[in-house]
């Protein structure tokens, strides 16, 4: 697959967030294990984002998972059935993350009661 306008839009938003966090492309590339050129291509939308890479970048930028999903949602055209399927998958992942969070909260409470 090749990069799309969606990749360009997401890359641009990530660039803005990165700059607001006072991080350089060099910082990001190092954290991701990429060359500066490869990272720059992500921000410029020349390289397609994978979901794993997207979440790695979000973690480095200390972005909340909900903010990451919102950024993805606003860049998908929901009138396109193929992208709507992707949108559904993202919603499913978001729901699964909420379930895991609740599960860990329950485990944490149970452990604290044992002490």
């Amino acid at each position: 697959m090749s990069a799309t306008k969606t990749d360009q839009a997401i890359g641009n938003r990530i660039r803005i967030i990165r700059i607001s966090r006072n991080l350089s492309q060099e910082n990001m590339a190092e954290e991701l294990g990429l060359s500066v050129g490869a990272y720059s291509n992500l921000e410029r939308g020349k390289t397609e984002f994978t979901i794993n890479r997207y979440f790695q970048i979000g973690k480095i930028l200390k972005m909340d998972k909900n903010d990451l999903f919102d950024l993805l949602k606003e860049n998908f055209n929901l009138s396109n059935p193929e992208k709507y399927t992707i949108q559904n998958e993202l919603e499913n992942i978001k729901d699964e993350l909420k379930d895991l969070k609740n599960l860990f909260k329950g485990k944490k409470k149970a452990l604290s009661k044992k002490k």
Side-chain angles (χ1 to χ4, degrees):
M1 277 186 168
S2 60
T4 64
K5 288 186 179 192
T6 299
D7 292 308
Q8 291 173 344
I10 291 171
N12 187 52
R13 289 290 303 278
I14 285 173
R15 180 183 60 81
I16 291 167
I17 295 166
R18 173 186 58 78
I19 291 169
S20 75
R21 305 270 199 284
N22 294 315
L23 293 169
S24 67
Q25 286 189 337
E26 290 82 5
N27 298 133
M28 297 296 292
E30 184 177 332
E31 288 285 329
L32 294 167
L34 299 173
S35 69
V36 175
Y39 178 76
S40 176
N41 283 338
L42 280 170
E43 279 192 2
R44 292 183 296 136
K46 303 288 184 188
T47 304
E48 180 181 50
F49 278 93
T50 64
I51 196 73
N52 288 338
R53 180 73 70 202
Y54 184 71
F55 281 110
Q56 288 174 322
I57 290 170
K59 185 175 179 180
I60 295 165
L61 295 175
K62 297 182 175 135
M63 292 177 67
D64 179 86
K65 296 257 191 271
N66 289 327
D67 292 338
L68 286 169
F69 281 112
D70 289 344
L71 179 58
L72 284 177
K73 277 197 263 186
E74 72 188 41
N75 285 292
F76 282 110
N77 177 355
L78 296 182
S79 65
N80 180 329
E82 178 185 22
K83 290 183 179 178
Y84 184 73
T85 300
I86 293 169
Q87 181 67 29
N88 287 341
E89 289 302 315
L90 291 174
E91 289 297 327
N92 290 339
I93 292 168
K94 187 176 179 180
D95 290 340
E96 288 175 18
L97 288 171
K98 282 181 185 177
D99 291 343
L100 283 172
K101 184 178 178 181
N102 290 333
L103 177 67
F104 285 120
K105 280 183 183 178
K107 299 269 184 196
K108 187 177 177 181
K109 284 181 183 177
L111 288 173
S112 66
K113 287 180 180 179
K114 287 182 179 181
K115 290 183 179 182

